[in-house]
Amino acid sequence: MTLITTILDGQESEASSLSRSNPAIKIPAVLLALAASASWLATAAVTYYMPDVIDFGRVPEFAALSILIAAALIAGVIAGIRQPALGAKVRRLLPWSLALGIFTLIWQLLAGKLGVLPQPFFPPPHGLLEVFTDDYPKLIEGVLASLRLEFLGFAFGAIIGFWVGVALGWSRTFGYWVHPIMRFIGPVPSIAWLPIAFFAFPSSFSASIFLIALTTGFPVAVLTWSGVASVNPAYYDVARTLGANERFLIFKVAIPAALPHVFVGLFMGLGASFAVLVTAEMMGVKAGLGFYLQWAQGWAAYANMYAALIVMAVMCTGLVSLLFKIRDRVLSYQKGDVKW
Amino acid sequence: MVGATAYAHEPVAAATRALDVHSVSHAYTLEGNPLPVLDNVGFRVEPGGFVALLGPSGCGKSTLLRLVAGLEQPVRGEIRVDDKAIAGPDPSRVVVFQDPTLYPWRSVYDNVALGLEAQGLLKTRRHRVDEALALVGLTPFKKAYPHQLSGGMAQRVALARALVNDPEFLILDEPLGKLDSLTRISMQGEIVRLWQQKGFTALLVTHDVEEALVMATRIIVFSDRPATIKADIPVDRDYPRHRDDPGLVELRRKILGLLGLEATW
């Protein structure tokens, strides 16, 4: 539910975060920048000078990366004095930079240098870095495969769900036949279809597309339906007195009026589809990040698993942000609170 | 009727057909019980007239307008335009509702263009959109979105959206009911000016006696629900009218009496 409220309140929260003066910056920015920078320098020093409990590789590279972050923070603050826009951005990042620096330092000590965390299950940061520097072709390949599957499934599901929703909202006959089916099948988690899908479809790839489409399509259909059903009836009266036919009422009144709801459905569908994507990749599809995770576990390559998780997080967040961007463009008429 | 086409600046599709409300009764169903709203209402409006339908709120005036617009069919009786019964909505009879009901996803310009677009006339008559916007004085705001407009401006856009179709009948369902009193007074004058300029037949539902007196050539007073006609009063004064015109003040006293409110006046 939090996702929905975030989506619905999207504009307000954006607006309020802009108008609110930054509360995290109470300590002068310079002190904070020095502290953040120091935490990364400490990480670099610990990484480089303390011996590893077992050999993890990429020690100097990670130390260098930490120094680079420390230097970038200082440089950013200095450059920010001249350019206020950049300065504000850097100052906003400072508290998080400090927190991450401290986290990385502790992580490095516990995992890499003191061996408090059991190895090899919790690799240190430079262990992860090694995955990114050495195994990136496979990771990229995995991301592309996952994106392809996700895109196909999501697109099919969104398009079919959208039209089913419109038809449910518009036609009583369609509703009579389809509504009970949706009520019966809808609550079943899509994953439950997985065993059937894998033998009913010619390939595990097409089966996965079906499962992702099912997961996406359901919330999209329900939300589109509720959007069409809740259109202000006066909108139809206006159009009808102006000479609109039914086609016009559907395409130029009902659908545009329902779009804000449709986007809520798309967000819910997208979130749910990630779970099915990864499961499908783990269970049958021999490609993608889910498969990579499974494969890494099989080889006890724990650092690779963490690396894949990070990549997956970036990918999923990226897709959600992309959908936000699209929504803001399509629903741009809601933006701007200039009153004349 | 009062100089309907005398002020015309441009070619005007003045109303030529009469509207005949012929012994109309209507009822809604409320929790299984019939709720009568109109009881044997009949009157005739000559082309170019400005008729105000006045009555207590909830008496069924707005229902009558929905019937005239063709959005609903009366239970008994019929409404005719030149002896042809109204069977459904038609762009020659356009409604301006109490709420502007602009589409929030369309700019002011696109909202005004709605009727032409729905009738497939946008390509050939696009210039009419600009004319209608100019008519209500909103040309500078054509790219704005409805949420950026004040109540009065939004209602003017709704007016332009109706006028762009050059309707023969303009049906006004308390269009000024939710506006502040200053905006209301200026828009009363504006609607009268548009009516004189365009020559359409106007039907105005209102519960504001003064508004009816300032705007209409004829006032039909309705009773409480189910509405019947209590009085049919011609208002034979020149425009622009003044609220303190003794003739109007006298009429106002008479109408308030009909509505059972003489004591408060």
Side-chain angles (χ1 to χ4, degrees):
Chain A
M1 286 303 115
T2 44
L3 180 64
I4 304 171
T5 42
T6 322
I7 296 156
L8 290 174
D9 299 343
Q11 269 107 359
E12 279 111 296
S13 62
E14 251 171 64
S16 62
S17 73
L18 276 178
S19 58
R20 213 189 308 132
S21 64
N22 211 328
I25 313 291
K26 282 275 192 307
I27 318 162
V30 182
L31 271 183
L32 201 58
L34 287 176
S37 194
S39 70
W40 284 101
L41 286 176
T43 305
V46 165
T47 306
Y48 195 75
Y49 290 111
M50 280 178 74
D52 279 0
V53 273
I54 43 175
D55 191 21
F56 292 107
R58 299 300 164 199
V59 170
E61 287 86 349
F62 187 73
L65 184 65
S66 301
I67 293 172
L68 209 67
I69 293 172
L73 285 170
I74 295 293
V77 170
I78 292 170
I81 298 169
R82 288 261 182 99
Q83 290 157 280
L86 176 72
K89 261 186 196 162
V90 173
R91 276 198 302 280
R92 240 183 86 74
L93 286 176
L94 286 179
W96 263 107
S97 307
L98 174 61
L100 280 177
I102 293 170
F103 171 79
T104 314
L105 178 62
I106 294 172
W107 172 22
Q108 179 65 284
L109 280 169
L110 295 184
K113 308 298 178 182
L114 304 174
V116 178
L117 291 170
Q119 296 304 330
F121 306 106
F122 298 98
H126 53 289
L128 260 69
L129 184 64
E130 188 179 26
V131 181
F132 288 120
T133 54
D134 295 13
D135 211 22
Y136 68 90
K138 260 199 196 136
L139 280 171
I140 291 174
E141 200 181 301
V143 169
L144 291 179
S146 287
L147 282 176
R148 181 158 163 255
L149 185 55
E150 171 68 25
F151 176 77
L152 285 170
F154 184 77
F156 272 118
I159 292 168
I160 294 168
F162 174 76
W163 289 112
V164 168
V166 170
L168 277 171
W170 199 259
S171 158
R172 266 168 202 239
T173 318
F174 189 85
Y176 175 82
W177 290 107
V178 175
H179 185 212
I181 300 175
M182 290 199 30
R183 284 191 65 151
F184 186 66
I185 294 175
V188 179
S190 310
I191 296 297
W193 293 91
L194 195 131
I196 298 173
F198 275 166
F199 70 71
F201 279 82
S203 65
S204 59
F205 186 73
S206 54
S208 306
I209 289 177
F210 164 76
L211 290 173
I212 294 170
L214 189 69
T215 315
T216 308
F218 198 72
V220 173
V222 172
L223 267 295
T224 305
W225 171 26
S226 89
V228 171
S230 64
V231 174
N232 181 355
Y235 288 167
Y236 297 129
D237 286 348
V238 166
R240 284 175 62 210
T241 61
L242 293 174
N245 56 18
E246 191 169 8
R247 200 185 144 78
F248 191 90
L249 293 182
I250 296 174
F251 287 92
K252 300 283 183 160
V253 184
I255 290 177
L259 272 185
H261 280 81
V262 175
F263 272 98
V264 177
L266 287 173
F267 278 106
M268 292 170 68
L270 186 65
S273 73
F274 293 146
V276 180
L277 170 74
V278 175
T279 313
E281 284 174 345
M282 285 179 161
M283 304 291 283
V285 185
K286 295 261 172 283
L289 285 175
F291 170 70
Y292 185 93
L293 262 178
Q294 185 89 335
W295 169 87
Q297 193 209 13
W299 287 95
Y302 297 101
N304 297 54
M305 287 173 58
Y306 291 104
L309 273 175
I310 291 173
V311 173
M312 202 180 280
V314 171
M315 183 184 85
C316 295
T317 318
L319 289 175
V320 172
S321 310
L322 183 68
L323 191 55
F324 264 110
K325 281 250 155 61
I326 295 172
R327 183 204 64 167
D328 288 348
R329 253 193 110 93
V330 175
L331 304 184
S332 60
Y333 64 86
Q334 297 180 330
K335 281 242 165 164
D337 20 23
V338 194
K339 285 252 180 200
W340 278 306
Chain B
M1 297 264 96
V2 180
T5 53
Y7 292 76
H9 296 77
E10 52 179 284
V12 160
T16 55
R17 296 182 295 174
L19 179 81
D20 196 1
V21 178
H22 195 78
S23 46
V24 163
S25 297
H26 198 61
Y28 288 115
T29 312
L30 191 69
E31 291 170 1
N33 302 313
L35 179 76
V37 276
L38 293 172
D39 185 19
N40 200 22
V41 171
F43 58 91
R44 184 180 162 87
V45 181
E46 297 303 329
F50 197 134
V51 176
L53 311 177
L54 189 68
S57 45
C59 78
K61 311 168 297 237
S62 296
T63 305
L64 184 58
L65 286 198
R66 288 183 68 81
L67 299 178
V68 173
L71 291 168
E72 286 173 49
Q73 288 297 312
V75 172
R76 266 190 296 123
E78 60 183 16
I79 300 173
R80 301 173 191 151
V81 173
D82 256 10
D83 298 329
K84 235 185 119 205
I86 289 171
D90 186 275
S92 69
R93 286 171 272 119
V94 180
V95 189
V96 179
F97 295 93
Q98 183 172 18
D99 290 308
T101 46
L102 303 177
Y103 294 174
W105 60 90
R106 283 177 170 245
S107 65
V108 165
Y109 183 92
D110 289 338
N111 265 292
V112 174
L114 193 69
L116 296 178
E117 198 182 324
Q119 297 159 52
L121 299 174
L122 193 55
K123 280 214 176 98
T124 52
R125 313 231 179 124
R126 188 173 277 283
H127 63 280
R128 296 198 47 93
V129 180
D130 290 309
E131 287 168 18
L133 279 168
L135 213 52
V136 298
L138 284 179
T139 305
F141 295 95
K142 63 181 182 183
K143 286 190 179 147
Y145 280 93
H147 73 98
Q148 298 170 302
L149 304 176
S150 68
M153 291 165 92
Q155 202 52 283
R156 293 225 295 278
V157 176
L159 208 52
R161 180 179 63 187
L163 293 174
V164 82
N165 306 286
D166 229 338
E168 201 177 340
F169 300 92
L170 187 65
I171 302 169
L172 302 155
D173 188 1
E174 294 190 46
L176 312 178
K178 288 192 175 168
L179 303 180
D180 64 275
S181 53
L182 292 177
T183 313
R184 187 149 70 207
I185 290 170
S186 76
M187 281 199 64
Q188 286 166 353
E190 213 166 309
I191 292 173
V192 168
R193 173 179 65 81
L194 291 168
W195 165 70
Q196 292 177 318
Q197 197 174 325
K198 291 280 181 182
F200 49 75
T201 305
L203 271 179
L204 168 75
V205 153
T206 180
H207 53 239
D208 182 343
V209 180
E210 205 165 78
E211 183 167 287
L213 285 169
V214 169
M215 296 175 78
T217 57
R218 179 180 162 200
I219 298 175
I220 298 177
V221 183
F222 284 88
S223 70
D224 245 323
R225 200 190 58 239
T228 55
I229 293 180
K230 263 193 162 171
D232 194 334
I233 302 163
V235 187
D236 209 358
R237 314 296 290 184
D238 285 338
Y239 297 95
R241 292 173 178 171
H242 295 284
R243 269 145 236 272
D244 44 7
D245 175 341
L248 293 184
V249 173
E250 188 49 45
L251 274 177
R252 183 181 148 156
R253 188 198 305 273
K254 183 176 162 192
I255 292 169
L256 285 173
L258 283 166
L259 294 169
L261 293 168
E262 66 255 86
T264 49
W265 153 256

